[in-house]
């Protein structure tokens, strides 16, 4: 039976105080539950990483960052390097669709960020996904395969990496892709990994992201190539996020 990963991306929400409260709420609701088959990860804003990490010490809940800079140091005001995150986070989201669309991040930059994260032992979660225009034009598979291949171009060891497929048209819209549509894309992602990564391609966790909620998560993770979910808005409620975690186990 496969292990499932549920990642909560809090985006630009919560203050340090409310982030700790949210983390505590999730921890409390999961204590005593049989979660041996699931990996729970929360990704608060940078300003809350330290406090949330300390709050979750001793629990089974891991902490991830939402972004990082590709350089190790330098005159990059306001940026955070991989080295700065080490010790505060175990995981880091790279190439989220909002970084690609709102901040113009290219596949080349995302590949450099993946290299930076791996270089200090952070476990990257590479996000890939097509826009509605790309899907309508019949370029969904081409787009996702390109983002995957180029995003991993500087990564040699895939064993510590997750890949999250997030169709941009489904993020925050309430319109999730069907489980079958998501599975079809996940199978395509695995197929494009095989020529370079061989058998490791079969075990890399593939997550679905895009309007995941307690009512639909189980239908996604029951698909053969979907190993979990990247959750946005629903991760901002301890009740909702915990319900997603528990429903994913059903």
């Amino acid at each position: 039976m496969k292990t499932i990963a549920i990642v909560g991306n809090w985006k630009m929400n919560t203050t340090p105080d409310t982030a700790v409260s949210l983390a505590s709420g999730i921890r409390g609701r999961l204590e005593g539950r049989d979660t041996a088959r699931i990996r729970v990860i929360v990704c608060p804003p940078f300003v809350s990483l330290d406090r949330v990490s300390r709050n979750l010490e001793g629990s089974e809940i891991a902490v991830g960052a939402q972004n990082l800079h590709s350089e190790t140091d330098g005159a990059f005001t306001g940026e955070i390097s991989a080295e700065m995150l080490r010790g505060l986070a175990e995981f880091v989201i790279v190439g989220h669709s909002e970084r690609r669309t709102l901040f113009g991040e290219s596949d080349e930059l995302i590949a450099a960020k993946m290299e930076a994260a791996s270089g200090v032992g952070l476990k990257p979660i590479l996000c890939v996904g097509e826009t509605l225009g790309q899907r309508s034009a019949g370029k969904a598979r081409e787009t996702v395969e390109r983002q995957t291949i180029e995003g991993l171009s500087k990564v040699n060891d895939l064993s510590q990496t997750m890949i999250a497929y997030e169709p941009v048209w489904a993020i925050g819209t309430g319109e999730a892709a069907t489980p079958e549509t998501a599975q079809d894309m996940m199978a395509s992602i695995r197929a494009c990994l095989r020529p370079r990564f061989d058998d490791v391609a079969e075990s890399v966790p593939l997550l679905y992201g895009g309007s995941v909620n307690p009512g639909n998560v189980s239908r996604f993770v029951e698909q053969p190539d979907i190993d979990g979910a990247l959750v946005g808005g629903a991760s901002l409620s301890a009740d909702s996020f915990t319900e997603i975690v528990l429903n994913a186990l059903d």
Side-chain angles (χ1 to χ4, degrees):
M1 192 171 290
K2 65 184 178 183
T3 300
I4 296 168
I6 303 294
V7 183
N9 177 15
W10 298 355
K11 305 189 180 184
M12 197 178 73
N13 296 290
T14 70
T15 64
D17 285 342
T18 59
V20 169
S21 178
L22 177 55
S24 296
I26 294 169
R27 177 177 185 169
R29 286 162 176 79
L30 290 178
E31 283 182 348
R33 303 277 191 165
D34 182 8
T35 57
R37 197 165 58 83
I38 198 160
R39 186 66 160 133
V40 181
I41 304 162
V42 297
C43 301
F46 286 135
V47 295
S48 300
L49 279 172
D50 181 55
R51 288 184 60 185
V52 169
S53 295
R54 285 188 278 117
N55 179 267
L56 293 176
E57 282 181 4
S59 77
E60 297 299 316
I61 303 171
V63 176
Q66 298 177 19
N67 186 33
L68 78 164
H69 196 277
S70 59
E71 298 294 333
T72 56
D73 52 44
F76 303 104
T77 300
E79 293 296 322
I80 304 293
S81 72
E83 182 64 33
M84 293 173 182
L85 294 174
R86 187 164 62 170
L88 293 176
E90 181 179 352
F91 295 85
V92 60
I93 297 171
V94 181
H96 190 280
S97 63
E98 291 158 4
R99 299 300 311 179
R100 294 177 188 266
T101 58
L102 299 178
F103 300 95
E105 293 194 1
S106 64
D107 290 328
E108 182 180 14
L109 176 58
I110 289 164
K113 290 186 174 190
M114 290 290 292
E115 182 180 34
S118 300
V120 301
L122 290 171
K123 300 173 183 176
I125 303 170
L126 173 64
C127 297
V128 298
E130 81 281 8
T131 64
L132 181 59
Q134 289 164 334
R135 174 163 283 274
S136 299
K139 296 183 177 180
R141 191 182 305 275
E142 172 190 334
T143 298
V144 170
E145 289 184 356
R146 186 202 74 240
Q147 291 175 345
T148 302
I149 292 168
E150 295 191 14
L152 296 172
S153 61
K154 297 183 178 182
V155 174
N156 295 317
D157 180 8
L158 197 61
S159 65
Q160 300 301 309
T161 297
M162 296 183 187
I163 299 174
Y165 167 57
E166 42 166 21
V168 180
W169 46 272
I171 299 172
T173 65
E175 297 294 332
T178 67
E180 294 75 20
T181 298
Q183 165 58 30
D184 182 63
M185 190 62 80
M186 297 300 196
S188 176
I189 291 171
R190 283 207 199 278
C192 79
L193 294 175
R194 290 187 185 112
R196 182 175 171 206
F197 295 103
D198 301 316
D199 291 344
V200 180
E202 309 306 322
S203 59
V204 61
L206 302 184
L207 316 181
Y208 170 74
S211 297
V212 176
N213 60 55
N216 65 21
V217 65
S218 63
R219 298 199 300 275
F220 284 104
V221 299
E222 70 183 10
Q223 300 296 318
D225 288 301
I226 301 181
D227 306 302
L230 176 60
V231 184
S235 69
L236 294 173
S237 160
D239 286 335
S240 177
F241 187 66
T242 303
E243 192 175 356
I244 288 173
V245 170
L246 298 177
N247 287 357
L249 292 170
D250 291 342

